Amino acid sequence: MTRPRLPAWFVLLLPAFIVLAAVVLIPLLLSLYSSFTSYRLTRPETLYNWIGTFNYEKAVQSAHFWSAFGRTVLLLTIALNLEMLLGLGLALLVNQVTYGQRLLRTIMMFPMMFSPLLVGFQFKFIFNDNVGLVNNALQSLGLTNVAIPWLVDGQLAFISILVAEMWSSTSVFAILILAGLFAVPRDPIEAAKVDGCTPWQSFRHITLPYIMPFIYIALAIRSLDVARAYDIVQIMTNGGPARRTELIWTLIGRTGYVDAKMGYANAMGYISIFLAIAFTIYFFRKLNAARAELGMGG
Amino acid sequence: MAQVTLRTVVKKYGALQVVHGIDLDIDDSEFVVLVGPSGCGKSTTLRMIAGLEPISGGEIVIGDRVVNDLPPRHRNISMVFQNYALYPHMTVRENLGFSLKIAKRAQGEIDRAVDEAAEILSLTEYLDRKPGALSGGQRQRVAMGRAIVRHPDVFLFDEPLSNLDAKLRTQMRTEIKKLHQKVKSTIVYVTHDQVEAMTLADRIVIMRDGHIEQIGTPLEVFEAPTNTFVATFIGSPPMNLLEGRVAQDAVALANGITVPVPEAFRAHVTDGQEVILGVRADNLMPVGHAMPMEGAHAAFDMTVNLSEPLGTETLLFATLAGEEVQAKMLNPRPVASGEQLRFQLDLTRCHLFDAQSRQSLR
């Protein structure tokens, strides 16, 4: 008598299935389910109160949601472009350095070593209207004698957050683009010089196509980062004052944990995920196109 | 079209000097080949002419301009690189037209120049492919095409054939020679392959350790090498060198073998002088399997250690005066190792070098 045996492939894959189900699949399904309920953290029994697509309809019709969504897209667009340009400039400069380049590369990575929470606190202090460095500097230089409300005025607060975001993450671009610059072969650059290119033309026509894949990788990584931006904003302005700097995830976080409307928060979360997925798909398409340009397959 | 002149050109990397003040005059539409072993400074010299390496001393003149401080784009040169250095993200057409596009020529003119170059190099059917989809030989032709569309004053070739297989190399060699006859530009060509140098060059410049050892036409450097380095570098197999001492119009080699001093060297040697006798395999052949030797010649017996049949001839390795030498057998028959043969030595084509300076005694 032999007991019926499970097929080997199934047994071998089972541990992976169990772990994935426990940590990813079940929470994912649960949150998806809860977005169709009126689930409130303070009233656990509401988890079973099915309300259909009500939460989604509410989110889609909410001006707060869309303004936070729009602000997130705006922050993403501006931060990514500026970080890319600054990072490219930084990488090109460091690439020219022959002596002490290792040290510079290490220093360049310092901002990446700090917790975003600490970066938030630091910039909250720098932009403080009374004791902050920026206002002190501007006043000492005689450029202004008023205390500029950096973190209170809606547009200034957005710029302050942008500065903090860029300070902490420009080096991601710089490091990845520098890696790209290291991989650019010397021959085509020299051929371009002989073919009559000025340094700018060599960069534009030869170097840039070589580093585009690296730029798109950095953009893909950073677009996910910024799309889930939470910590710096939470510390610097807490989305305020009066929702002037509200981003998607500060809004969702407040809805879920402060207002305890977890079902509604999950519904907004699922809509927002599409933002991140859309950007990722976009940049990966671009990445593959850039790689195909270079004959790298893809 | 332009002359190129190098005057005491020096290249140093820090304390390390790699080119030691070389002088070279290249005529308009001349094909000059720089040849030498790895690290002899030939590529560095070419890159200095191109402007890709700054020079540490001396003067480089292209046409009538001193170009020492001009960037490559102002020198009106084009260069073919060893690894082709094609732009991988551009099609063949864009690669060929790139320099003209940068020079802001009219699109019609670019198209004409590209089509013409593609025609010359039989690339027309590949114009819309990218370099990744081409074979080595085709890439090489694109690299050459990119050089010719600009009608530069000077073409620079940096070991352009060394990445190709043997058959393709021979084929491309012929194409380069044809190309030169067609475009009649000045060409400076770097290679470590002496066969390429011999077949392509109007004049060969043989370099070693950053010095020029000899400049001459292929026949000059083959028939009258100025020193033992050139003698062994040019010609295949390399010239046999045998040490000896001059005694009464003869060179006494080891093991009691003597060879009369060749006519051309009689006036230049003295009794008791230490010399090196240079003998090419082509002038040392078994009796009955040799070219007719009309001038003075010597004969002696040698034991064959090894034979390498090449079809039309057989290369023989034999011992002469305690040294292994290479000889050639025309109209060959099978030769066994250890077989003793009588060899003829054509004295009119022998060379004598001073044993100390290793310079030719002619």
Side-chain angles (χ1 to χ4, degrees), chain B residues 257-271:
Chain B
I257 293 174
T258 61
V259 174
V261 173
E263 190 70 40
F265 293 89
R266 287 269 163 80
H268 306 288
V269 295
T270 50
D271 260 15

Side-chain angles (χ1 to χ4, degrees), chain B residues 73-234:
Chain B
R73 66 177 188 276
H74 291 147
R75 296 191 181 196
N76 199 19
I77 43 144
S78 50
M79 186 154 169
V80 177
F81 293 81
Q82 182 173 358
N83 302 318
Y84 321 133
L86 301 180
Y87 310 127
H89 53 295
M90 300 183 195
T91 61
V92 170
R93 184 189 299 282
E94 288 163 340
N95 264 284
L96 292 176
F98 182 66
S99 60
L100 299 179
K101 189 179 138 200
I102 289 297
K104 299 201 165 60
R105 302 285 180 78
Q107 191 58 45
E109 185 189 346
I110 297 177
D111 291 342
R112 262 196 310 282
V114 168
D115 287 341
E116 187 193 21
E119 186 72 29
I120 291 175
L121 295 160
S122 357
L123 285 167
T124 309
E125 55 186 306
Y126 307 110
L127 277 176
D128 294 313
R129 288 204 201 168
K130 287 200 176 164
L134 298 179
S135 70
Q138 289 162 345
R139 288 180 203 185
Q140 183 57 56
R141 289 211 293 273
V142 176
M144 276 166 49
R146 202 170 54 179
I148 65 175
V149 289
R150 303 176 50 210
H151 299 291
D153 288 338
V154 184
F155 282 103
L156 305 173
F157 286 86
D158 188 8
E159 307 215 18
L161 304 184
S162 49
N163 283 357
L164 302 177
D165 64 51
K167 192 177 162 204
L168 206 51
R169 199 179 305 158
T170 326
Q171 199 180 320
M172 290 302 296
R173 207 167 67 199
T174 320
E175 288 196 28
I176 290 177
K177 189 141 194 174
K178 278 185 194 154
L179 181 71
H180 179 235
Q181 283 166 359
K182 208 174 287 178
V183 300
K184 301 236 174 349
S185 288
T186 311
I187 294 184
V188 186
Y189 186 108
V190 161
T191 179
H192 60 264
D193 180 353
Q194 57 95 14
V195 179
E196 250 170 61
M198 293 291 282
T199 48
L200 288 172
D202 292 329
R203 274 195 307 158
I204 296 182
V205 178
I206 296 139
M207 293 184 68
R208 178 174 57 158
D209 298 338
H211 295 279
I212 291 180
E213 296 285 336
Q214 187 171 359
I215 304 176
T217 65
L219 280 185
E220 276 167 10
V221 297
F222 184 78
E223 288 179 347
T226 53
N227 55 42
T228 53
F229 174 77
V230 176
T232 50
F233 193 81
I234 298 291

Side-chain angles (χ1 to χ4, degrees), chain A residues 159-176:
Chain A
I159 291 172
S160 306
I161 289 168
L162 187 66
V163 169
E165 189 67 48
M166 282 166 59
W167 181 85
S168 69
S169 301
T170 294
S171 51
V172 176
F173 280 89
I175 292 292
L176 282 168

Side-chain angles (χ1 to χ4, degrees), chain A residues 2-277:
Chain A
T2 53
R3 283 188 301 158
R5 294 184 56 162
L6 294 165
W9 62 266
F10 182 79
V11 176
L12 289 171
L13 285 175
L14 201 57
F17 273 133
I18 292 171
V19 170
L20 275 178
V23 301
V24 178
L25 198 60
I26 293 174
L28 205 63
L29 290 175
L30 198 65
S31 64
L32 184 63
Y33 162 76
S34 75
S35 71
F36 293 101
T37 67
S38 65
Y39 182 40
R40 281 170 161 265
L41 288 178
T42 46
R43 290 163 57 199
E45 75 280 3
T46 53
L47 183 57
Y48 308 104
N49 182 22
W50 181 268
I51 56 169
T53 57
F54 179 80
N55 282 332
Y56 288 91
E57 282 161 30
K58 188 172 154 195
V60 169
Q61 285 160 14
S62 158
H64 290 319
F65 175 75
W66 286 116
S67 81
F69 192 94
R71 199 173 286 112
T72 307
V73 174
L74 188 68
L75 179 71
L76 195 107
T77 313
I78 298 177
L80 252 52
N81 278 299
L82 289 179
E83 284 174 21
M84 195 268 279
L85 288 177
L86 284 177
L88 179 63
L90 212 55
L92 287 171
L93 287 176
V94 172
N95 194 36
Q96 293 297 315
V97 176
T98 48
Y99 185 79
Q101 200 199 54
R102 270 163 189 274
L103 186 69
L104 272 178
R105 285 201 314 251
T106 313
I107 291 174
M108 206 162 72
M109 291 179 75
F110 276 179
M112 295 163 73
M113 298 175 190
F114 294 109
S115 154
L117 286 178
L118 295 179
V119 175
F121 277 121
Q122 188 61 38
F123 276 88
K124 189 179 189 176
F125 164 65
I126 289 175
F127 284 112
N128 185 291
D129 44 8
N130 283 322
V131 297
L133 288 180
V134 176
N135 275 351
N136 263 311
L138 290 177
Q139 284 162 6
S140 303
L141 290 169
L143 294 175
T144 178
N145 50 16
V146 296
I148 301 170
W150 288 105
L151 297 174
V152 179
D153 179 89
Q155 281 175 2
L156 289 179
F158 184 81
I159 291 172
S160 306
I161 289 168
L162 187 66
V163 169
E165 189 67 48
M166 282 166 59
W167 181 85
S168 69
S169 301
T170 294
S171 51
V172 176
F173 280 89
I175 292 292
L176 282 168
I177 293 173
L178 190 62
L181 286 172
F182 285 166
V184 176
R186 201 184 58 168
D187 277 359
I189 306 274
E190 293 192 332
K193 279 189 199 170
V194 174
D195 268 350
C197 282
T198 60
W200 162 249
Q201 286 170 325
S202 311
F203 172 76
R204 164 75 189 75
H205 294 289
I206 313 301
T207 310
L208 198 56
Y210 268 105
I211 57 175
M212 274 329 274
F214 292 85
I215 290 179
Y216 285 125
I217 289 172
L219 283 170
I221 294 174
R222 286 290 303 148
S223 69
L224 288 179
D225 270 356
V226 181
R228 65 182 160 87
Y230 177 77
D231 26 28
I232 289 182
V233 182
Q234 183 66 26
I235 297 302
M236 284 178 71
T237 65
N238 191 16
R243 298 185 188 270
R244 282 174 200 154
T245 54
E246 191 85 288
L247 298 184
I248 288 181
W249 288 104
T250 58
L251 175 64
I252 295 173
R254 186 169 318 103
T255 309
Y257 298 110
V258 179
D259 304 345
K261 296 177 190 162
M262 196 48 97
Y264 182 40
N266 280 337
M268 290 195 289
Y270 272 95
I271 299 175
S272 312
I273 289 290
F274 289 112
L275 174 68
I277 292 176

Side-chain angles (χ1 to χ4, degrees), chain B residues 214 223-231 239 241-247 249-253 260-278 350-362:
Chain B
Q214 187 171 359
E223 288 179 347
T226 53
N227 55 42
T228 53
F229 174 77
V230 176
M239 186 186 280
L241 298 178
L242 300 163
E243 290 182 9
R245 181 192 293 271
V246 177
D249 284 346
V251 181
L253 304 172
V261 173
E263 190 70 40
F265 293 89
R266 287 269 163 80
H268 306 288
V269 295
T270 50
D271 260 15
Q273 189 176 2
E274 303 273 355
V275 294
I276 295 168
L277 177 71
C350 285
H351 301 268
L352 274 187
F353 304 95
D354 184 81
Q356 262 76 51
S357 69
R358 303 184 81 84
Q359 297 297 310
S360 172
L361 286 167
R362 178 134 53 180

